[in-house]
Amino acid sequence: MKAAAKDFGLDLAVVGNGRTAALVDPASRIVWWCFPRFDGDPLFSRLLAGAEEKGFTDVVLEDMVDIHSEYLRNTAIVATVLTDRHGNSVRITDFAPRFHQFGRTHRPPQLFRIIEPVSGLPRITIRLRPTYGYGQPFVHHSIGSNHIRYYQDDRVFRLTTDAPLSLIESEAPFVVTRAMHMVFGPDEPFTGDLATLSREFCDRTHDYWITWVRGLSISYDWQEAVIRAAITLKLSTFDETGGIIAALTTSIPEAPGSGRTWDYRYCWLRDAYFVVKALNRISATQTMEDFISFTLGIASSREETLRPVYSVVPTDSLEERTAEHLEGYRGDGPVRIGNAAVEQSQHDTYGSIILAATPMFFDRRLPRPGDEGLFRLLESLGEKAAKVSASPGRTRSINFFALSDSATARLPRLLFADLPGYGSAKSSRSISAEWPKLINPYLEERPNLVLCICLVDSNIPVQASDQQLIASLKGMGRGFLVVGTKADRLSGNERAKALARLREGLGLSEILLCSSKTGFGMKELWTQILGRAEEST
């Protein structure tokens, strides 16, 4: 019986090509690969399988005592050398093809693996345990002359290889005496000589990345780290549409046991703008041009309110659900598919698109400058932004806002955190049920939290959720201030009654009434905020 594979955690290398990407651990085990694109069903899902040994492919060297894994210099190609206690060693090279061909970029949804003996007679076992339907092992497979075809319902996956198929199927050990090549991908016949094509694709992919890195404009400081970061950001771009995903994975917990396991395999317009800005600073402008096309395609739908997050294919649904067959990273679930953040209103999304498109009018390196049509489109976005800026968003996550107004110039930089509301925010029960897991750790653990401002609607009776929040803050020993909102809807006499009702219902004497619409009470509120901030310095 083979010993359990070592858990390397998140010490993983990325191989990808702008369409799909895989994560490889230091021992050459591929633990994550969504197919046929970033947000697809993972064929390799071991990263989120908990204690179950499924959803991976690896090369197991008998009596292994040493591992050396690295990226080939300035590329997205990973080479791993495994050595046994007798000095026998084997090299595994992993890459996803990406190179220019016939006037366009060749980036098929494929992974290539080359296994070569380095010294002696290494004895290995090749294991292949793909999954479908987010964590279900394939039940059916068939063997051809040079391939294994896995299929279940409408899900089909093929391994083409010149390695011994029967030994792969039975996971039997054998001695490596020659180079072997493996291609994971669609159920399509592989034409041409596999060994020749694999080596050619590897060389051309290597040349592509070397050329791309050579075109970057970076200083000598921290150059290796900057290059690796730039390649990784490049690998997060879905070339077909220009969308930039926030992460290659879903459901990696924000903290152990937190339940905050979100699916980030999608494009947050705000985050993508920062990626574009970073790459543009080092002269990788193509990503910016592609992202501008992506955002303009979204913005050109004039009737649609902008969402904060989109699939790499913007019209695809992001309805959130859970994967029943995956336990989660190190058993810490749930594993989510889709993201309910698509229902949120985050008004800074308008600014992200406008800022991303601005270089079209000023950056003379770009082949297609901005014209009047683009300006009119951005102008319409500005008008939408002005319209929604007067209305509150529907906060369902923690959003941070830095203040640098002249009124706060004498104080350290103030950071406001906008937390989800308990009572009147428009959210489904499933979403609002997650809020305590998000809010409570923040309130309990934030070391530099100065003041909690509790917003309650002054037009309605005190809610039980408001009372619960006040009790929780008292229990945590947090300083707080209750603010009754929408005071503009009340007359002078009604305001006095509302204030008395709030004081009685919450058991507090210090409560402010305010209106963001008319500015009523805002001066008093700022006096309270700045006073508390000064006391904390």
Side-chain angles (χ1 to χ4, degrees):
M1 180 179 293
K2 296 181 177 67
K6 180 179 178 181
D7 179 7
F8 290 95
L10 297 178
D11 181 13
L12 305 170
V14 183
V15 294
N17 61 4
R19 179 184 177 91
T20 186
L23 300 179
V24 188
D25 77 14
S28 82
R29 172 183 274 205
I30 302 178
V31 297
W32 185 255
W33 181 40
C34 293
F35 177 84
R37 68 186 202 203
F38 296 134
D39 56 353
D41 182 7
L43 285 169
F44 298 143
S45 56
R46 182 65 187 87
L47 183 66
L48 302 181
E52 296 186 72
E53 283 290 278
K54 63 181 181 181
F56 67 89
T57 185
D58 63 3
V59 176
V60 180
L61 176 66
E62 282 193 9
D63 299 323
M64 184 178 70
V65 295
D66 186 61
I67 298 170
H68 179 74
S69 182
E70 64 180 355
Y71 289 104
L72 297 189
R73 185 174 183 267
N74 293 352
T75 74
I77 302 172
V78 175
T80 305
V81 176
L82 311 178
T83 304
D84 68 19
R85 62 187 178 90
H86 305 291
N88 304 309
S89 59
V90 61
R91 180 188 298 111
I92 301 103
T93 303
D94 293 302
F95 69 96
R98 182 182 177 91
F99 50 84
H100 297 301
Q101 180 172 264
F102 306 129
R104 55 185 183 270
T105 303
H106 182 66
R107 48 175 185 274
Q110 293 177 325
L111 293 180
F112 278 67
R113 166 161 281 189
I114 301 174
I115 304 171
E116 305 167 281
V118 177
S119 62
L121 296 173
R123 184 176 172 85
I124 68 168
T125 301
I126 297 176
R127 300 190 295 181
L128 175 58
R129 302 180 188 177
T131 56
Y132 76 98
Y134 283 87
Q136 300 180 73
F138 278 92
V139 177
H140 306 291
H141 71 272
S142 60
I143 297 182
S145 59
N146 294 102
H147 72 270
I148 303 178
R149 181 176 181 266
Y150 294 85
Y151 58 94
Q152 194 74 35
D153 301 327
D154 60 346
R155 189 70 165 154
V156 185
F157 158 68
R158 177 188 290 233
L159 163 66
T160 302
T161 183
D162 53 9
L165 296 176
S166 297
L167 299 182
I168 295 175
E169 181 189 30
S170 60
E171 296 187 356
F174 62 96
V175 174
V176 183
T177 58
R178 59 176 175 83
M180 293 175 292
H181 309 82
M182 306 174 73
V183 182
F184 309 94
D187 184 30
E188 300 172 353
F190 202 90
T191 58
D193 179 71
L194 182 59
T196 302
L197 202 60
S198 297
R199 179 52 59 190
E200 177 190 347
F201 276 22
C202 185
D203 291 342
R204 296 182 68 178
T205 299
H206 179 275
D207 292 344
Y208 169 86
W209 287 111
I210 292 295
T211 302
W212 186 81
V213 169
R214 186 183 292 131
L216 300 180
S217 176
I218 55 179
S219 68
Y220 293 124
D221 297 329
W222 306 101
Q223 203 172 75
E224 184 177 355
V226 172
I227 289 172
R228 182 53 49 197
I231 292 175
T232 303
L233 292 178
K234 178 69 172 174
L235 291 176
S236 300
T237 302
F238 188 67
D239 282 358
E240 288 185 34
T241 62
I244 302 170
I245 61 174
L248 300 172
T249 55
T250 176
S251 304
I252 301 299
E254 292 184 8
S258 66
R260 300 194 296 273
T261 53
W262 314 119
D263 190 351
Y264 287 121
R265 299 173 298 164
Y266 308 111
C267 179
W268 269 259
L269 298 183
R270 178 203 301 133
D271 297 357
Y273 162 68
F274 290 123
V275 172
V276 166
K277 184 177 180 181
L279 290 177
N280 194 38
R281 290 178 64 182
I282 57 175
S283 299
T285 59
Q286 185 62 54
T287 301
M288 175 182 65
E289 296 174 61
D290 294 341
F291 178 66
I292 290 172
S293 297
F294 177 79
T295 56
L296 294 183
I298 294 170
S300 61
S301 178
R302 297 180 182 273
E303 301 302 320
E304 182 181 2
T305 300
L306 289 181
R307 304 193 299 267
V309 57
Y310 291 84
S311 167
V312 291
V313 176
T315 54
D316 283 3
S317 170
L318 296 187
E319 181 180 357
E320 188 173 297
R321 64 190 193 278
T322 58
E324 299 177 358
H325 303 285
L326 290 173
E327 296 179 4
Y329 175 70
R330 292 180 170 174
D332 197 347
V335 173
R336 289 181 168 88
I337 309 162
N339 199 303
V342 71
E343 301 175 19
Q344 296 179 8
S345 295
Q346 296 182 11
H347 301 331
D348 62 344
T349 300
Y350 294 89
S352 298
I353 291 183
I354 293 171
L355 289 173
T358 298
M360 296 286 287
F361 297 96
F362 303 103
D363 196 332
R364 301 192 65 83
R365 296 172 297 174
L366 305 182
R368 186 171 64 88
D371 55 16
E372 183 180 354
L374 175 59
F375 179 82
R376 296 303 176 196
L377 179 58
L378 297 179
E379 188 177 46
S380 69
L381 285 181
E383 292 170 352
K384 283 184 180 180
K387 183 181 298 184
V388 300
S389 66
S391 62
R394 294 173 290 177
T395 303
R396 298 172 194 165
S397 61
I398 297 179
N399 298 310
F400 292 92
F401 301 89
L403 297 189
S404 57
D405 189 81
S406 58
T408 64
R410 68 181 185 277
L411 297 172
R413 180 169 174 262
L414 290 181
L415 194 68
F416 274 47
D418 187 16
L419 306 181
Y422 276 81
S424 59
K426 300 176 182 178
S427 295
S428 65
R429 289 184 178 180
S430 62
I431 294 174
S432 58
E434 297 290 332
W435 287 345
K437 299 177 183 178
L438 182 72
I439 296 172
N440 291 342
Y442 175 84
L443 294 177
E444 292 171 354
E445 301 168 10
R446 195 73 174 180
N448 56 343
L449 183 58
V450 174
L451 176 66
C452 298
I453 302 174
C454 307
L455 304 179
V456 297
D457 192 335
S458 62
N459 292 257
I460 62 176
V462 172
Q463 304 293 297
S465 56
D466 297 327
Q467 295 170 332
Q468 292 168 5
L469 178 59
I470 298 302
S472 296
L473 291 173
K474 287 181 177 179
M476 297 176 191
R478 290 295 190 184
F480 63 89
L481 174 66
V482 175
V483 176
T485 63
K486 305 175 185 176
D488 57 280
R489 300 181 184 180
L490 304 173
S491 65
N493 188 43
E494 290 172 332
R495 288 174 184 169
K497 292 180 179 179
L499 197 56
R501 183 176 65 247
L502 290 173
R503 286 171 174 167
E504 180 181 358
L506 297 175
L508 301 170
S509 59
E510 185 181 13
I511 295 177
L512 293 180
L513 291 184
C514 292
S515 168
S516 61
K517 186 174 183 180
T518 65
F520 174 80
M522 296 303 294
K523 183 177 180 180
E524 292 80 2
L525 176 57
W526 268 112
T527 299
Q528 289 274 5
I529 293 172
L530 296 178
R532 299 290 184 94
E534 285 183 324
E535 290 173 6
S536 68
T537 56

